[in-house]
Amino acid sequence: MKKFSLLVAVVSTILFAVVSNAEVRFVTSNADSGEGSLRDAWFASASGDVIEIQEGLEILLDSVMSVTNKTLTVRGLGSGAKVNGQGKTGMFFLRSSWGQKPVLRFENITFTNGYAKVGGVIVTDGGGTQGS
């Protein structure tokens, strides 16, 4: 029983250390880029970070957003948020590199007006997505 308890304590400590290093970034602007934008938070984020979008915000993308070798959670707060491709762009591209695969998790986000010749809202060359 002591070995099991020690293992649980070690795993819990490691998980806490990993989770506590995650940073939460806030999106407060519907602009495609600049301070407070999704793109700004996206590029400033490290793997494991969480991006939270202000409730009711509709983000207007001018071009696709690409992620390589990161695991990110993008969450709409409250009643949710929207990402709008304005009928002129795809939205997200997940790019694998050096055998590592990016993972995106979307929560409480609605995607509208995306455009792509191939694929859909999210195009991937091997990464993964999760939605809820």
Side-chain angles (χ1 to χ4, degrees), residues 26-120:
F26 296 96
V27 176
T28 56
S29 168
N30 73 337
D32 178 70
S33 61
E35 188 175 337
S37 71
L38 176 59
R39 195 172 303 274
D40 183 53
W42 188 268
F43 287 113
S45 292
S47 191
D49 285 356
V50 175
I51 298 171
E52 294 188 337
I53 302 172
Q54 180 180 316
E55 180 177 9
L57 198 63
E58 183 172 1
I59 296 164
L60 305 173
L61 292 183
D62 291 326
S63 62
V64 70
M65 296 181 55
S66 181
V67 64
T68 303
N69 298 343
K70 286 184 187 180
T71 296
L72 297 175
T73 298
V74 181
R75 177 182 303 138
L77 297 177
S79 63
K82 290 182 182 179
V83 177
N84 185 336
Q86 303 183 77
K88 62 183 175 182
T89 186
M91 296 186 188
F92 302 97
F93 180 69
L94 281 67
R95 183 183 321 265
S96 297
S97 177
W98 296 96
Q100 296 180 348
K101 296 182 178 183
V103 176
L104 290 179
R105 179 179 175 87
F106 293 98
E107 299 173 358
N108 212 16
I109 305 285
T110 301
F111 302 99
T112 61
N113 299 319
Y115 172 81
K117 292 181 181 178
V118 177

